[in-house]
DNA sequence: ACAATTTGACCCAA
DNA sequence: TTGGGTCAAATTGT
């Protein structure tokens, strides 16, 4: 292990992570959904883990080349056709050759049509209240960029569309939609599509530190299986400047380390998050807030969450 | 200067 | 044709 460099270790970790999830899935005999030890949801979650790990691993190996492998497509095909063996190796190779999922050069990226529908999708509800702050699952690791907002027929509030910040640089296709609830305006429904394949939470290799003050070193511990350890992460530093809390976050405790801040996240509550509330004056309607939540889909799966070093701005 | 957001236009499935 | 999702130019923010 000591002989391995940092990238190799990460690669191995991802592969082990994926293998572990795959074995869990394999170990669960499921003659019928009712008798299965794992719920359908749990299985989907495991599958997402497998896909995500494999994609990360492949990106690590493959990221700089033009030949990318759309593992998501394969895995989701398997999910859609659980009984079927995925054709011949030759046809797989054929599909692997495609740039469909990764070629940002092509205008429509082919992800829009049926592929989009194949992406895993799940919804979380997050509540915001002045007294209690933000409640519900969220993600403090991943960063999102807003790319659209639409008024939805029959809905009081507009729907906001976000994609992963690293879509273009790391071909990460994760997206989310945030829809404020009509009935209870303190509730926001966050719908995610696709899992992150970017290396948020994993530092990109060999990129020079240009803004040390804005970097965040993350000591990322997966309390479930301890497979990921000592990963150093840089973030875009925007959360701290762009995102702010309307109330002090009750979920984070800070201690200074080395000029930085150690931020321990939610060991007691898996429901911590970072978010933004800003007054939205762009629409003619009454001023509302738009909340941008950062949520880690894996936070539900993993019982604990990252400990990271956070430099104060 | 660069990066993120806003917002009307555009695309496409139903 | 309509409505939801995305694009991209313009704008705003750092």
């Amino acid at each position: 292990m000591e002989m391995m460099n940092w990238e190799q270790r990460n690669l191995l970790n991802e592969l082990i992570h994926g293998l572990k999830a795959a074995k869990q899935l394999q170990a669960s005999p499921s003659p019928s959904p009712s008798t299965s030890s794992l719920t359908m949801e749990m299985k989907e979650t495991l599958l997402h883990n497998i896909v995500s790990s494999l994609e990360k691993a492949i990106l690590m190996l493959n990221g700089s080349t033009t030949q990318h492998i759309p593992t998501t497509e394969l895995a989701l095909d398997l999910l859609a056709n659980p009984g079927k063996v995925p054709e011949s190796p030759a046809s797989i190779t054929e599909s692997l050759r495609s740039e469909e999922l990764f070629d940002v050069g092509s205008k429509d990226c082919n992800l829009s049509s049926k592929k989009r529908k194949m992406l895993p999708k799940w919804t979380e509800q997050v509540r915001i209240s002045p007294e209690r702050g933000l409640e519900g699952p969220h993600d403090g690791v991943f960063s999102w960029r807003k790319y659209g907002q639409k008024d939805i027929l029959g809905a009081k509030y507009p729907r906001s569309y976000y994609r992963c910040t690293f879509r273009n640089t790391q071909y990460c296709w994760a997206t989310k939609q945030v829809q404020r609830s009509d009935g209870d305006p303190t509730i926001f429904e966050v719908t995610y599509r696709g899992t992150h394949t970017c290396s948020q939470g994993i530092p990109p290799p060999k990129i020079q530190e240009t803004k040390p003050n804005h970097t965040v070193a993350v000591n990322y511990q997966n309390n479930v299986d301890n497979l990921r350890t000592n990963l150093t992460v840089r973030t875009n530093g925007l959360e701290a400047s762009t995102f702010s809390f309307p109330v002090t976050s009750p979920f984070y405790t800070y201690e200074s380390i080395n000029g930085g801040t150690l931020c321990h996240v939610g060991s007691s509550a898996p429901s911590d998050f970072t978010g933004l509330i800003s007054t939205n004056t762009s629409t003619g309607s009454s001023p509302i807030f738009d909340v941008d939540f950062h949520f880690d889909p894996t936070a539900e799966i993993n019982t604990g969450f990252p400990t990271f070093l956070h430099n104060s701005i």
Side-chain angles (χ1 to χ4, degrees):
Chain A
M1 261 302 224
E2 296 75 66
M3 303 293 282
M4 298 176 76
N5 68 25
W6 187 91
E7 289 170 42
Q8 288 173 312
R9 248 179 297 145
N10 279 335
L11 180 60
L12 185 63
N13 279 343
E14 283 305 334
L15 290 171
I16 292 172
H17 194 243
L19 179 64
K20 193 157 182 171
K23 284 191 170 177
Q24 243 182 297
L25 201 56
Q26 188 185 39
S28 132
S30 53
S32 80
S34 52
T35 60
S36 171
S37 55
L38 291 179
T39 67
M40 199 56 201
E41 252 176 283
M42 291 162 77
K43 286 180 182 175
E44 272 187 42
T45 299
L46 283 171
L47 189 63
H48 295 166
N49 284 353
I50 297 166
V51 169
S52 176
S53 291
L54 291 177
E55 280 181 337
K56 279 180 195 168
I58 287 163
L59 276 170
M60 286 175 200
L61 283 172
N62 212 26
S64 57
T65 76
T66 52
Q67 285 223 326
H68 299 288
I69 303 175
T71 48
T72 303
E73 189 180 10
L74 278 180
L76 292 173
D77 279 344
L78 288 173
L79 181 64
N81 309 291
K84 287 186 190 164
V85 176
E87 306 150 22
S88 66
S91 67
I92 294 174
T93 317
E94 186 65 16
S95 73
L96 293 187
R97 197 192 45 76
S98 81
E99 290 103 21
E100 296 176 307
L101 284 175
F102 295 94
D103 181 16
V104 282
S106 80
K107 266 292 183 255
D108 78 339
C109 288
N110 288 328
L111 205 77
S112 41
S113 50
K114 42 192 174 179
K115 299 267 157 55
R116 170 78 58 203
K117 278 186 274 182
M118 295 297 287
L119 292 174
K121 177 181 163 183
W122 66 101
T123 301
E124 301 290 346
Q125 293 203 335
V126 186
R127 163 176 271 129
I128 170 145
S129 63
E131 323 82 48
R132 308 193 51 187
L134 296 147
E135 310 168 63
H138 61 279
D139 159 32
V141 174
F142 296 118
S143 65
W144 302 91
R145 172 176 293 192
K146 187 172 183 175
Y147 66 86
Q149 178 170 303
K150 274 294 262 192
D151 286 318
I152 299 302
L153 202 75
K156 270 190 198 165
Y157 306 102
R159 179 176 300 165
S160 298
Y161 300 87
Y162 300 83
R163 62 167 173 75
C164 178
T165 304
F166 303 104
R167 162 166 292 200
N168 297 331
T169 53
Q170 295 180 37
Y171 314 113
C172 176
W173 301 105
T175 62
K176 70 172 180 180
Q177 303 178 358
V178 178
Q179 174 73 63
R180 192 175 195 177
S181 164
D182 285 338
D184 184 349
T186 67
I187 290 182
F188 293 78
E189 257 190 16
V190 187
T191 301
Y192 297 87
R193 274 199 177 85
T195 53
H196 281 274
T197 57
C198 58
S199 54
Q200 295 181 74
I202 303 173
K206 288 210 156 176
I207 293 182
Q208 298 199 356
E209 300 270 345
T210 52
K211 293 183 181 176
N213 286 346
H214 283 210
T215 61
V216 175
V218 172
N219 184 352
Y220 187 110
Q221 274 198 319
N222 184 322
N223 291 344
V224 168
D225 56 19
N226 277 332
L227 283 172
R228 308 171 182 201
T229 52
N230 295 320
L231 302 184
T232 303
V233 170
R234 99 213 295 293
T235 73
N236 56 9
L238 291 168
E239 288 169 15
S241 49
T242 306
F243 300 104
S244 56
F245 292 98
V247 294
T248 349
S249 167
F251 307 110
Y252 293 76
T253 56
Y254 295 91
E255 67 179 278
S256 286
I257 285 185
N258 243 5
T261 306
L262 177 66
C263 179
H264 194 68
V265 185
S267 53
S268 54
S271 54
D272 39 29
F273 75 101
T274 59
L276 153 77
I277 295 181
S278 63
T279 310
N280 185 339
T281 52
S282 63
T283 55
S285 54
S286 61
I288 57 174
F289 4 131
D290 190 16
V291 173
D292 180 305
F293 293 103
H294 292 244
F295 162 70
D296 179 3
T298 64
E300 280 202 316
I301 306 148
N302 304 339
T303 52
F305 215 69
T307 301
F308 54 88
L309 282 172
H310 195 170
N311 277 5
S312 41
I313 303 295

